Amino acid sequence: MAALLTCAKTAFLEVGSVYAWETEGETGNILIDPEGSVARPCTLEGIAFGDMFLDKNVGNVENPDPDPKLRRAFLIAASVIFQEGERQGQLPDKITRTYW
């Protein structure tokens, strides 16, 4: 069964880029730091919350959220944003990806 991920950059702030994402019925916002290497859940305004984060240089979700659906969706969104950033040489404005 395939799933669809959509992400769109909603803000570019001093603290990083904010993306709104949706996949598998889950939605949220993710903050990518200015260096493009750390992702954190955040509010629409770019305020990070919780302790969960993903450092692409380490490759593991640190302090994972106890909700497995949210944790999985966050990991998928962050991974896709990082992959597209590497592929394009900059953080993308929009992403749509089908995955299994």
Side-chain angles (χ1 to χ4, degrees), residues 26-95:
E26 299 289 326
T27 61
N29 297 292
I30 194 166
L31 176 67
I32 306 294
D33 74 332
E35 290 77 32
S37 62
V38 177
R40 296 183 180 280
C42 71
T43 65
L44 187 58
E45 296 79 24
I47 300 168
F49 61 83
D51 295 325
M52 182 169 58
F53 70 94
L54 173 67
D55 182 335
K56 78 174 187 178
N57 298 316
V58 176
N60 292 329
V61 172
E62 299 292 326
N63 306 314
D65 192 279
D67 179 349
K69 288 176 108 178
L70 181 61
R71 185 174 58 241
R72 174 179 159 76
F74 168 80
L75 179 59
I76 290 167
S79 297
V80 167
I81 293 167
F82 288 150
Q83 287 171 355
E84 282 300 306
E86 286 183 14
R87 189 178 74 74
Q88 295 180 24
Q90 63 183 16
L91 290 175
D93 290 331
K94 281 184 147 182
I95 305 165

